[in-house]
Amino acid sequence: MEIAQGLIAAVGVSLAAVAFLLGRAERLSSGHGVTYLLLGLVLAVAGLLGPTLGRWLLGAGGPMAALFCVTLVLLPLLLGLLLYQAVTLTGLRERLLRTAQEVALLRSALAEGAADRKDAATDSEAHPD
Amino acid sequence: MERTLIVIPALNEQRRIGELLSGIRRAAPGVSLLVVDDGSRDATASIAAAAGARVVSHPFNLGYGAALSSGYRYALRAGFGRVIQMDADGQHDPESLARIGERLDDGVDLVLGSRFLHAESYRPPLARRIGILLFSGLVSLALGRRISDATTGFQGLSASLLGFYTQQGSFPADYPDANILIRCGRAGFRIEEVPVRMRANPDGGTLHVGLKPLVYILRMLFAVAIESTRRLPRGVS
């Protein structure tokens, strides 16, 4: 029981630490950072206090039920988030954002160029040399 | 004096963008205007273009920070020497543009328009004031000098700061706020505040409703904590 508790708490603390380090390396948005940090803290607290709360709420079988719930719900959620983050870490999101910005800037430059050419054509028609 | 580009990030502001652009034209004739339309579903872009502004339209909503950084890139590529950014909702009074421009002329890199230094500015609701106070306190602590309005969107930026912002990874795409001020200060840029007049949102509404303020505060606290400990991008002293 204590080993399982310790493992869950360790995963939580690790998740919080990873969120901080990834944020520091600019590989995590503030929204994701806060999400992972909070999830890490929930895991840590659940690992440390879950069995006590379970005993208090459910009686003798409570501690095991609490740990089972934590494992069943939170750990798969954590794995899903890490998988999602792996995609972000490859820089795909950043590249998509940059590409969208470049597309917008290029379209704007093309529109301005077309407008300038139209103005020049109008001027040359109005004032032929 | 350097050529100035007014950058206005906008999202679904068709009701107010025209009036804002006319107000800027009256207050600062001759300045160039750029509206960065961040994926609006209304006529924001066409109204801005009809009013004579340059327009960059994102193909979809990329976020406030990305809209600003598109504006900075546009400014650098088009040869503008500085940028003044304003919100599109009409809260920032164009009459204050001259004051920001003057400080940029004096060589300041980042001029922050502070609503709290201007006697006639509206005062935000208490909850929002507490949030601003919290982040202004954190920024003041990090920079070692008093900043009264760390969340202001009314700012003037020098060419060198624009160069810094457009470096890879120097400008957050989501929430550039107190965290970016700390980054600028740590990178050695000169930051000053000037009093500006801000008005209450004409509709009386705010983006900060429901759980958004809490989420914003958590995100910003995370960003500030990260910012205070992270290494600066390469090439910055």
Side-chain angles (χ1 to χ4, degrees):
Chain A
M1 175 75 81
E2 284 79 11
I3 291 174
Q5 276 183 263
L7 274 176
I8 290 171
V11 168
V13 172
S14 306
L15 182 63
V18 165
F20 192 79
L21 291 174
L22 286 179
R24 199 163 168 264
E26 289 278 329
R27 305 312 296 264
L28 203 64
S29 71
S30 55
H32 290 150
V34 167
T35 307
Y36 298 169
L37 205 62
L38 290 179
L39 189 62
L41 291 177
V42 168
L43 272 177
V45 171
L48 294 175
L49 300 181
T52 310
L53 287 174
R55 185 176 296 115
W56 185 60
L57 290 171
L58 302 171
M64 194 56 80
L67 276 185
F68 181 71
C69 287
V70 168
T71 311
L72 196 70
V73 177
L74 285 179
L75 287 184
L77 182 66
L78 174 63
L79 285 175
L81 282 175
L82 288 178
L83 193 65
Y84 170 77
Q85 194 56 50
V87 175
T88 310
L89 283 176
T90 60
L92 277 176
R93 189 175 170 277
E94 172 82 4
R95 280 203 286 272
L96 176 66
L97 195 104
R98 285 284 168 126
T99 306
Q101 283 183 302
E102 287 303 325
V103 166
L105 289 167
L106 192 62
R107 278 170 51 191
S108 164
L110 287 171
E112 283 175 18
D116 287 347
R117 281 195 298 278
K118 194 176 165 188
D119 287 348
T122 310
D123 281 352
S124 63
E125 278 174 21
H127 306 288
D129 289 330
Chain B
M1 194 166 76
E2 297 277 6
R3 287 171 70 215
T4 304
L5 180 68
I6 310 287
V7 172
I8 305 163
L11 176 65
N12 299 326
E13 293 286 0
Q14 66 175 9
R15 286 192 299 140
R16 284 175 284 206
I17 194 74
E19 191 185 330
L20 174 68
L21 295 174
S22 317
I24 297 172
R25 290 253 190 255
R26 280 195 301 274
V31 294
S32 300
L33 303 172
L34 172 70
V35 172
V36 183
D37 175 30
D38 191 21
S40 294
R41 293 175 181 276
D42 63 9
T44 299
S46 54
I47 291 172
R54 302 158 189 245
V55 177
V56 168
S57 290
H58 285 169
F60 48 90
N61 183 249
L62 299 177
Y64 179 68
L68 285 174
S69 90
S70 289
Y72 302 154
R73 283 184 208 189
Y74 181 101
L76 283 180
R77 289 176 193 182
F80 286 94
R82 59 194 200 179
V83 155
I84 299 178
Q85 65 188 48
M86 298 176 76
D87 287 353
D89 60 6
Q91 286 190 278
H92 299 160
D93 185 356
E95 294 296 334
S96 300
L97 282 168
R99 197 170 268 159
I100 292 179
E102 283 164 15
R103 298 304 288 141
L104 287 171
D105 286 342
D106 294 341
V108 176
D109 292 303
L110 177 57
V111 183
L112 304 173
S114 170
R115 77 200 86 185
F116 299 112
L117 298 180
H118 196 292
E120 291 172 26
S121 265
Y122 91 106
R123 292 292 181 263
L126 183 65
R128 183 149 164 68
R129 272 218 306 276
I130 291 171
I132 295 172
L133 200 68
L134 169 70
F135 291 117
S136 296
L138 287 173
V139 172
S140 303
L141 207 63
L143 299 184
R145 48 171 300 197
R146 184 169 180 271
I147 297 291
S148 65
D149 195 352
T151 63
T152 177
F154 202 177
Q155 301 181 5
L157 297 84
S158 69
S160 56
L161 187 58
L162 289 176
F164 175 63
Y165 276 175
T166 49
Q167 278 178 18
Q168 186 85 16
S170 284
F171 197 77
D174 49 0
Y175 278 88
D177 230 332
N179 51 337
I180 198 71
L181 297 189
I182 294 173
R183 189 174 299 186
C184 289
R186 290 183 64 220
F189 288 100
R190 197 173 150 202
I191 303 173
E192 298 278 342
E193 280 191 307
V194 296
V196 294
R197 186 162 167 256
M198 287 194 202
R199 298 180 280 242
N201 188 314
D203 286 346
T206 171
L207 290 173
H208 302 281
V209 291
L211 278 177
K212 278 187 180 175
L214 180 65
V215 173
Y216 172 80
I217 286 175
L218 287 174
R219 288 177 75 153
M220 199 41 66
L221 283 175
F222 180 79
V224 166
I226 293 292
E227 199 52 57
S228 304
T229 61
R230 77 185 279 271
R231 285 189 302 273
L232 290 168
R234 265 185 296 235
V236 176
S237 58

